[in-house]
Amino acid sequence: MRSVAIVGAGQTRHARRRKDVTQVALAREAVTSALQDAGLTMDDIDSVVVCSGPVLFAAVNQPEKWLVDAIGARLKPVVRVTSGGGTGLAGALAAVNQIRGGFAERVLVVAYDKLSEGALQYSISTLYDPFWGREFAVGIMGFAAAYWRARMDSLGHTEEAAAMVSVKNHRNALLNPYAHVKKEVSVEDVMNSRPLCWPIKLLDVPPISDGACAVVLSSEDAAKASADPAWIRGIAYYSEAENAANRSMIQSEPLTIAAQRVYKQAGITNPRRQCDVVEVQEPYTCFELSYYEGLGLCPPGGAADLISSGATLIDGDIPVNPSGGCMGANPIGATALIRLAEVAQQVRGRAGNHQIPDARVGLMQAGGGWANLRGVAVVASTKG
Amino acid sequence: MAVSTLSRVAVVGSAQTMLRASWTELQHVDLIAAAVDAVLRGSGLDMKDVDVVIDCGSDVLDGRSISNCGFLGAMGAHHKEESRVEEDGLFGAVYGTTKIAGGSASVALIVAYSKPSESDVSAYYATLSDPFYQRALGLDHIGAAGLTANQYLTTTDADEEGLLRIAAESWRKVADNPSVDLDRVPSLADIQASPLVADPLRSLQIARPVDGAVAVLLASEQVARRVTDRPVWITGMGAAMDSHFLADRAPGELEACRAAANMAMKRAGITAVSSIGLAEVSGASAAGEAMVIEALGFAPRGHAVDAYSEGATVAINPSGGALPADPIMATGLVRLHEASSRLTGRLGGDVGSRAIVHGAGGLGMQNNCVFIVEV
Amino acid sequence: MTDGLLTGIDQPQVLETTLSLPYTLTTGRAAGTFLAELGNKRILGSRCDKCARVMTPPQDYCSRCGSASETFVHMPERGTVTAVTRTDRAILALVQLDGSDSGFLHRLAPDSHHAAVGARVRAVWADTPSQSMLDLDCFALDDTGGHAGSAIEVGEVAVVAELAYSLTLHYKHAYGPHYGRLFDELATHRRILGSLCPSCRNVLVPPREFCDACFVRTAQYVDVADTGILQAFSVIHMEFVGQTRKPPYVYAEIVLDGSATRLIHTIAGFDVTTAAERLQIGMPVRAVWKDRADCHGTLDDIDYFEIVTGSERGD
Ligand SMILES: [Zn+2]
Ligand SMILES: [Zn+2]
C-alpha cells in the first residue's frame, strides 16, 4: 500500500463569530495557512476534498461549489465528503484513498463551519426521522446527555469525572493560540454551571465557533520535498445503523472496530504506552471519558480513574487534548480535521506552546451523527 | 504516476430501481434497500463481502440533516466503513475505485438515490447559489439551463433545430428503457409544442427529475475474476469543477467537463475517441448534453448534433440519458450502471468494448466527472 | 396479524413538513460593500490588479488568479446583454457593464421580451432599498444611446456586514409501506407495531423492510407492548429556536417490551423538577395515550410515558 503523509496543516483564527469573513473566505484562510506550512501553492495540489457540517448550518447547499473560486481550485477535482461532526476525518480518509489509489499525488482537505450563521440546535435536530422522534430532538445534546446518564450507572462516568475533562481542556486551551475560549475553570465551576440537558451543564459543552482547518496530504514521492512529514500509520471510519437492534450505547462498537483496525494497521498493541499524544473530538465532556475506553487507553469502566489520575493532563503519561480539544474552539465541520492537524503538528514538532516533548506517535479520534459515525487515525514521525 | 502498481478495479454488478416521477408509496430507505438487495442478488457476493459503502444523496432534497445517518441500515452499512459524498453518484464511484485500487478494500458498494418528488427541486438548486449575488435573483436549474443554452447557441454554429433533435433522440431511446416509467413517449412534435420554460429550452428539453436509487458493486481484480466472467474494468477517471458564478465560466462550452475527460482519457491511455463505442452522459438540458458531447471530443464545438447521425462511431445514451429521467444525485451512477450493463451484453446490442461515462452536479453543470470503462 | 381491522382513518399520503430556518449571514468585504453601494444607487465592481480584470459584481478573490481583490471601482450603469433567457420567474440575463471584464447576472425589465444578445441596457433602481441584490431592480432596454462610461476607482465605503436571511423548505415525506400501517394501528388501536427479523429474531420498532444488522428482509409485523424500560434520559432545561415543547421536560429513550430498538419520547406525569433524582435507568415505564379524538396517527398520540411504580409491577 502506498504511504501517505501530512506535509502541511493550517487553522484559522477561530471565534464565536467571525464578522470579517464569509464562509468561503474563512475556508480560504485555512487553505492559505496550510499551503504556507507545506511550502506549496495550489498549483501543486491535484485534488481537493471539502468538508463541512450539515448544510442547514449555514444556508448554502453543497457549499464547495461556492468555495472553489476562493481557494483557487477551479478545474481541479473537488468533492465534498460529509459525515456530521466527523466530516473532517472522513474527508481526510477520502484524500488518503485518492493518493493510495493513484488518483492524486497531493490532496488538499479543507474543513470548516461558520456556525454563527444559523440556528445550531434546530438544524441538528433535523437529524431525526421526521416521522419518528424529531419532535423530541434537542439537537444531539439531549441524546448525548441521556446516554451519559446511563453510563454513570454502568461505567461510573460521574459528573465530577466529566468536570475534570472540562477543567483539563479549558486549561490546555490557554496554551493554544487558535483557541478562542481562554478561561480557567474549576471542578466546582463546572458542577455549579447551569444545566442545559442534565447531566450536561454549560461548562461540559464546547463553544459554538466559526473556524476552518486545512491539511495537505501527500504521496511518499511527493513528500520527499517535505522536511518533516507526519505519516498516516492507520486511519479508519466506521458506521452503525442508528436504531439497529440491541445497539450498545454504553461502549461504542463503531469506535471499537475503528480503533482495532487502525491499531492493526499501525502495529499498536498497547495504545497507552505506544502513543505519545492523543486528540479526541469531545462535543461534550462525557464523550471524552467514553473515548478513553473505546480507544483502549483504559479498561471499560476505567475512564473516571484515568482522568482522576492525571495521566491525561498535558504532562501526564498519555496526554489527551493538549490543544484544549473542542473546549477551546468547536467549528463542528472543521473539528475532526483540527484534531488530525493537531496530532500531525505534534509529531512534526510544530505544536508550539502545547507541544508534547519528543512526541513521535499521535492518536486521534473523531465522529458524528448519533454517536454512530466513529473514526480513528494514528500518525507518526516515521513511516514505519 | 505509479498507477501500474495499483490493483485494477472492475464493476462487477449494478442495479437500479425503476425511475419514476414519483414513488409516493415508498420511502428513501425502501428505494435504497431495493437497489442494494438487487445488486447483491446473483452477484456472487453478499453483504459480508462488502468492505465499504459510499453513498450519494442530498440533505436538502431529503429534508433531513446527515440523511445518510438515518439510511445506514438500508444501505447495509451497519458496522462497515461508510462515507457520504454529497455529489452525483459517479463521484461516489471515484471514491470506491480509489479505495480498492489503493488496496484498502476488495469490494465497495456505491449507492446513489434521490426522491425529488418529496421536495422542491427549484429550492434545491437555488440554495446551491451564493446567498448574496445569484440566489436573490431567483436563479435555479431552469434559469441556469436557459442561460447556458442561450450562450451555446450564441457562441457556436449550433441551432435550435439541433437542440430539438438531441432531445428527440433522448426521448426516442428511453422508450426502449424498461427502467424508466413513462405514460407515453413524446414525439418531436410534442417536444416542439412543450412550453418554453427558459428559452431557447422547452420543458421537454430540460432534465426531468425522477425518484430512484442505483447501486453499483466495485471489486478488486482478484475478486472480480472470481465472481464474474464479465468484469467491466475501470481504466480511467477524471473530475473537475468550474467556477461558481455562471458569468465566470467560458460561454457555450463545458471547460470542467473537458478537463475531467482529458484526465480520464490520459489515465486510460486513450488518444482518439474513435475507439469509444458508447457514451452515457448526464446533460442537464439538451444544450448541456450537446456541450458534454463536444467536451468529450465526439464533435467539434457547436456540432454535437452530428454525433447523433446515422453512421456516427459512438452510441450516445442508448438508455435515453438524463433528459427523460434525472434522479438528481443518482444520475451519473445510473449512467455507469447502463454503460457497464451494455458492455457486458446484458442489455443486448453491440456497443464495442469501451465506454465513456459522465456525471455532473451543480447549477449549469458546474462539477463534472468522467469514467472510462472497458471489457 | 391485524388485516381487516383497520377502521378507516384517512391514510395520509404524505407527511408535510416545513423547515424554516433563520440565519445571520456574513457578507464579507466585497458583497457587503456592493450591497451598501446598491442602496446608494451605485454599482460596485472589483479589479484584480494582477490580471487587470474588472469583475462586476465585485469578488473578494479573483476567480482566475486567486489573488485578493484590493481595489473597488464604481461601474457605469449601462452595458450590453451577453446572454438571456426568459423563465416563469424572471428574464435572466448576463450583462457586461461598460468597463467590466465579466458578465453580471441580473434580471431584465419584465417588458423586455425581445431583448437579445447584444442589446444595450441600463440600470433601473428599486424605490426602496432592502440590502438586497434587487435594490438594483433590473436592467431595462436602453434606447437613449447613452455613452459608454468607465470604471472609476473608489476609496473605502460603508459595508453591510451582516444580512438577516431565512430559508424555508417544504417537504412531503412518503409514509412508505410500513409507516402508514404503523400509524394507522397507533391511532386506531393504540397498537405499536414492530417487524420481526427472521435471522436475528429481534423485533424492530418502528417496523422496517430490512433488518439493519442482518440486511435480511423482515418477515412479519409483531405487536409490541406500550410498556418498556427507560434506557436513557436527560432533563432538558435549554431553550432553542424550533423547539416543540417548553422546558423543563424529559428526553427519554425507551425500549418497549418485546422490541430490541429505541423509541424516543418524554416521561411526564410527575414533578419534572425532581426528574434527575426520581428517574432511574432501567425503570419500567408505560405509555399514556391521548384521547382517541386527539389521535392523528403520530408518535404524539402517546401523550407521554409515565413511571410504573413498584406496586404496579407485575400487574
Ligand atoms: Zn486575477
Ligand atoms: Zn436481524
Side-chain angles (χ1 to χ4, degrees):
Chain A
M1 200 179 286
R2 300 179 92 197
S3 295
V4 178
I6 292 172
V7 297
Q11 295 182 46
T12 59
R13 180 170 63 78
H14 310 305
R16 175 65 189 88
R17 180 164 179 82
R18 283 286 304 267
K19 293 183 180 176
D20 56 330
V21 285
T22 58
Q23 294 177 42
V24 300
L26 185 68
R28 175 187 163 102
E29 207 174 292
V31 168
T32 305
S33 163
L35 288 172
Q36 198 170 19
D37 186 54
L40 300 170
T41 71
M42 272 311 283
D43 292 342
D44 302 310
I45 301 298
D46 299 323
S47 176
V48 177
V49 178
V50 179
C51 310
S52 64
V55 295
L56 294 179
F57 281 3
V60 183
N61 189 10
Q62 299 173 16
E64 72 283 3
K65 297 194 168 75
W66 183 24
L67 197 66
V68 57
D69 298 299
I71 61 171
R74 182 173 171 271
L75 300 184
K76 292 186 193 291
V78 180
V79 286
R80 182 159 147 276
V81 173
T82 69
S83 194
T87 180
L89 181 58
L93 177 56
V96 166
N97 284 310
Q98 287 190 2
I99 295 167
R100 283 181 183 160
F103 186 75
E105 294 299 304
R106 285 198 195 93
V107 183
L108 172 75
V109 184
V110 54
Y112 76 97
D113 249 327
K114 200 158 187 318
L115 300 179
S116 69
E117 311 265 293
L120 184 63
Q121 297 302 340
Y122 183 5
S123 28
I124 298 181
S125 297
T126 63
L127 176 65
Y128 284 67
D129 186 339
F131 290 91
W132 194 257
R134 188 180 287 180
E135 61 266 50
F136 302 104
V138 186
I140 210 68
M141 200 193 295
F143 164 87
Y147 285 99
W148 176 20
R149 175 64 192 79
R151 286 192 296 268
M152 283 181 186
D153 287 3
S154 50
L155 298 171
H157 293 185
T158 61
E159 288 186 84
E160 290 79 2
M164 284 183 238
V165 171
S166 178
V167 171
K168 169 180 71 74
N169 291 354
H170 274 102
R171 187 175 299 151
N172 292 349
L174 295 172
L175 303 170
N176 180 350
Y178 296 110
H180 68 94
V181 174
K182 304 257 191 184
K183 177 171 73 171
E184 188 132 15
V185 301
S186 66
V187 168
E188 294 68 40
D189 294 337
V190 181
M191 295 295 289
N192 294 328
S193 64
R194 181 162 53 89
L196 300 179
C197 295
W198 184 87
I200 290 178
K201 299 168 290 297
L202 184 65
L203 289 174
D204 289 307
V205 181
I208 294 170
S209 313
D210 290 355
C213 178
V215 163
V216 180
L217 290 127
S218 170
S219 68
E220 185 171 0
D221 277 354
K224 283 185 178 137
S226 171
D228 54 358
W231 297 96
I232 306 274
R233 297 277 287 271
I235 182 167
Y237 198 89
Y238 276 77
S239 83
E240 179 168 76
E242 54 89 11
N243 201 8
N246 304 320
R247 191 183 154 204
S248 168
M249 304 290 187
I250 300 301
Q251 294 291 353
S252 165
E253 285 189 72
L255 174 59
T256 310
I257 298 168
Q260 283 168 356
R261 170 119 191 216
V262 165
Y263 292 158
K264 196 174 168 203
Q265 291 166 4
I268 286 178
T269 49
N270 183 339
R272 179 159 176 191
R273 192 166 50 75
Q274 289 171 274
C275 298
D276 302 311
V277 56
V278 184
E279 285 276 339
V280 300
Q281 180 185 357
E282 84 302 6
Y284 307 105
T285 49
C286 56
F287 276 125
E288 184 168 319
L289 298 174
S290 292
Y291 302 152
Y292 291 172
E293 298 174 10
L295 291 170
L297 303 181
C298 65
D305 286 345
L306 186 66
I307 182 81
S308 307
S309 74
T312 58
L313 296 176
I314 195 164
D315 56 356
D317 70 81
I318 182 77
V320 178
N321 282 338
S323 68
C326 298
M327 276 302 167
N330 191 31
I332 295 175
T335 302
L337 195 64
I338 292 173
R339 303 279 77 76
L340 181 65
E342 284 287 348
V343 286
Q345 299 303 63
Q346 287 282 358
V347 302
R348 298 171 80 204
R350 295 187 180 215
N353 288 340
H354 57 286
Q355 177 71 45
I356 303 300
D358 303 322
R360 300 170 65 81
V361 178
L363 166 67
M364 63 78 61
Q365 172 280 346
W370 265 295
N372 61 335
L373 309 170
R374 288 288 179 256
V376 176
V378 168
V379 301
S381 55
T382 56
K383 191 154 63 86
Chain B
M1 213 162 282
V3 179
S4 57
T5 66
L6 303 170
S7 167
R8 293 174 83 196
V9 181
V11 176
V12 297
S14 62
Q16 64 167 82
T17 64
M18 180 77 90
L19 303 178
R20 289 169 63 174
S22 175
W23 267 113
T24 41
E25 62 273 50
L26 295 181
Q27 294 194 311
H28 292 93
V29 285
D30 301 313
L31 287 171
I32 290 166
V36 171
D37 189 42
V39 78
L40 288 171
R41 233 179 294 134
S43 69
L45 295 167
D46 72 20
M47 197 53 92
K48 286 193 297 296
D49 299 310
V50 173
D51 299 310
V52 59
V53 179
I54 306 297
D55 57 276
C56 300
S58 158
D59 286 0
V60 172
L61 279 176
D62 297 347
R64 186 166 182 183
S65 283
I66 332 179
S67 59
N68 52 313
C69 204
F71 303 157
L72 291 167
M75 299 188 296
H78 183 65
H79 290 175
K80 292 189 191 303
E81 284 214 279
E82 179 268 351
S83 276
R84 153 76 54 98
V85 175
E86 197 162 314
E87 184 55 282
D88 177 86
L90 201 56
F91 289 84
V94 172
Y95 192 139
T97 304
T98 60
K99 182 118 187 151
I100 296 168
S104 308
S106 297
V107 178
L109 170 64
I110 319 299
V111 182
Y113 68 91
S114 283
K115 207 155 179 286
S117 69
E118 295 199 358
S119 166
D120 174 351
V121 174
S122 177
Y124 162 78
Y125 280 105
T127 53
L128 293 177
S129 247
D130 81 288
F132 308 120
Y133 291 165
Q134 295 189 139
R135 197 186 300 184
L137 300 168
L139 180 70
D140 66 3
H141 58 307
I142 308 281
L147 277 173
T148 49
N150 175 272
Q151 288 175 307
Y152 178 63
L153 295 184
T154 312
T155 59
T156 69
D157 295 335
D159 57 20
E160 292 192 28
E161 202 186 311
L163 296 184
L164 281 169
R165 197 167 143 224
I166 289 171
E169 283 286 307
S170 288
W171 287 101
R172 182 178 67 75
K173 289 170 184 162
V174 79
D176 296 327
N177 183 342
S179 299
V180 175
D181 183 43
L182 283 174
D183 291 340
R184 60 181 280 271
V185 178
S187 64
L188 180 64
D190 294 329
I191 297 167
Q192 275 174 308
S194 68
L196 201 58
V197 289
D199 67 322
L201 297 174
R202 297 180 176 279
S203 64
L204 290 173
Q205 291 177 295
I206 292 182
R208 177 180 74 122
V210 293
D211 292 356
V214 57
V216 170
L217 274 173
L218 303 177
S220 65
E221 177 160 14
Q222 199 184 6
V223 172
R225 297 275 184 216
R226 177 164 59 79
V227 298
T228 178
D229 52 7
R230 294 177 300 180
V232 178
W233 301 106
I234 295 166
T235 56
M237 298 188 296
M241 185 183 280
D242 208 334
S243 283
H244 179 67
F245 294 96
L246 289 179
D248 247 356
R249 301 183 204 164
E253 59 178 318
L254 289 173
E255 275 188 286
C257 182
R258 196 172 60 232
N262 287 345
M263 195 183 300
M265 290 199 223
K266 190 173 161 199
R267 282 170 203 222
I270 296 174
T271 48
V273 292
S274 56
S275 68
I276 298 173
L278 168 64
E280 277 284 343
V281 303
S282 309
S285 73
E289 185 173 312
M291 289 188 279
V292 172
I293 291 304
E294 292 166 19
L296 298 182
F298 290 113
R301 239 190 113 196
H303 295 274
V305 70
D306 298 342
Y308 295 78
S309 305
E310 289 289 323
T313 57
V314 62
I316 299 171
N317 281 347
S319 67
L323 295 191
D326 178 17
I328 303 174
M329 304 301 285
T331 307
L333 199 61
V334 168
R335 306 271 77 72
L336 182 61
H337 158 62
E338 288 283 351
S340 25
S341 302
R342 269 172 216 280
L343 285 178
T344 58
R346 264 185 280 163
L347 295 176
D350 181 14
V351 290
S353 60
R354 179 182 278 168
I356 193 164
V357 179
H358 163 264
L363 283 168
M365 305 171 69
Q366 187 188 350
N367 205 6
N368 288 261
C369 186
V370 173
F371 268 57
I372 307 288
V373 285
E374 309 187 37
V375 287
Chain C
M1 301 303 288
T2 53
D3 287 336
L5 296 178
L6 295 176
T7 56
I9 279 204
D10 281 344
Q11 165 70 59
Q13 286 295 300
V14 293
L15 175 71
E16 295 197 22
T17 65
T18 296
L19 300 179
S20 189
L21 298 119
Y23 295 95
T24 308
L25 303 177
T26 314
T27 53
R29 181 169 174 263
T33 314
F34 173 80
L35 292 173
E37 282 295 274
L38 275 194
N40 301 324
K41 297 189 167 36
R42 287 193 292 265
I43 302 172
L44 198 75
S46 61
R47 189 175 63 217
C48 172
D49 292 329
K50 199 167 157 195
C51 305
R53 198 166 154 263
V54 172
M55 293 161 282
T56 323
Q59 300 293 344
D60 285 316
Y61 312 105
C62 174
S63 61
R64 287 296 173 272
C65 74
S67 353
S69 317
E70 295 296 336
T71 315
F72 285 143
V73 288
H74 277 141
M75 301 304 299
E77 292 187 17
R78 288 185 166 77
T80 305
V81 172
T82 61
V84 62
T85 189
R86 293 150 191 83
T87 72
D88 288 350
R89 298 165 164 221
I91 305 176
L92 290 172
L94 298 181
V95 173
Q96 183 121 14
L97 290 181
D98 297 336
S100 180
D101 298 298
S102 76
F104 181 5
L105 179 71
H106 216 288
R107 296 176 165 183
L108 296 188
D111 62 359
S112 28
H113 299 296
H114 301 293
V117 169
R120 293 286 295 164
V121 291
R122 63 181 166 78
V124 176
W125 297 96
D127 294 335
T128 331
S130 60
Q131 298 192 326
S132 146
M133 179 55 112
L134 292 173
D135 290 353
L136 171 59
D137 188 53
C138 61
F139 284 92
L141 289 174
D142 180 30
D143 42 19
T144 63
H147 289 296
S150 59
I152 301 163
E153 204 167 306
V154 291
E156 281 303 315
V157 279
V159 174
V160 175
E162 293 181 345
L163 270 189
Y165 180 75
S166 68
L167 189 58
T168 302
L169 298 165
H170 300 286
Y171 297 94
K172 293 178 173 149
H173 298 290
Y175 276 79
H178 302 295
Y179 278 14
R181 179 67 173 274
L182 167 75
F183 289 119
D184 271 357
E185 293 289 326
L186 205 65
T188 318
H189 301 294
R190 296 185 166 176
R191 176 179 281 147
I192 303 169
L193 288 186
S195 46
L196 174 72
C197 172
S199 176
C200 65
R201 306 301 294 175
N202 283 305
V203 174
L204 313 167
V205 179
R208 62 203 73 172
E209 188 71 16
F210 279 81
C211 173
D212 310 83
C214 308
F215 201 73
V216 164
R217 234 176 251 280
T218 54
Q220 64 185 96
Y221 288 128
V222 176
D223 287 347
V224 300
D226 66 355
T227 56
I229 60 124
L230 182 60
Q231 174 164 265
F233 75 93
S234 159
V235 189
I236 308 304
H237 299 275
M238 181 174 68
E239 298 191 18
F240 62 97
V241 175
Q243 200 166 20
T244 55
R245 52 195 73 212
K246 184 98 184 123
Y249 60 94
V250 174
Y251 172 97
E253 298 223 350
I254 295 159
V255 179
L256 295 176
D257 294 332
S259 82
T261 51
R262 60 202 180 97
L263 170 81
I264 299 157
H265 217 288
T266 191
I267 312 286
F270 71 106
D271 178 4
V272 174
T273 61
T274 67
E277 300 78 39
R278 179 81 197 280
L279 297 181
Q280 294 301 323
I281 304 297
M283 152 182 271
V285 294
R286 173 173 56 210
V288 176
W289 296 82
K290 285 183 176 161
D291 288 342
R292 282 182 190 272
D294 297 327
C295 290
H296 305 291
T298 77
L299 202 46
D300 257 345
D301 292 356
I302 297 173
D303 202 10
Y304 56 87
F305 280 78
E306 65 179 358
I307 302 164
V308 180
T309 57
S311 59
E312 293 173 272
R313 293 188 72 175
D315 279 358

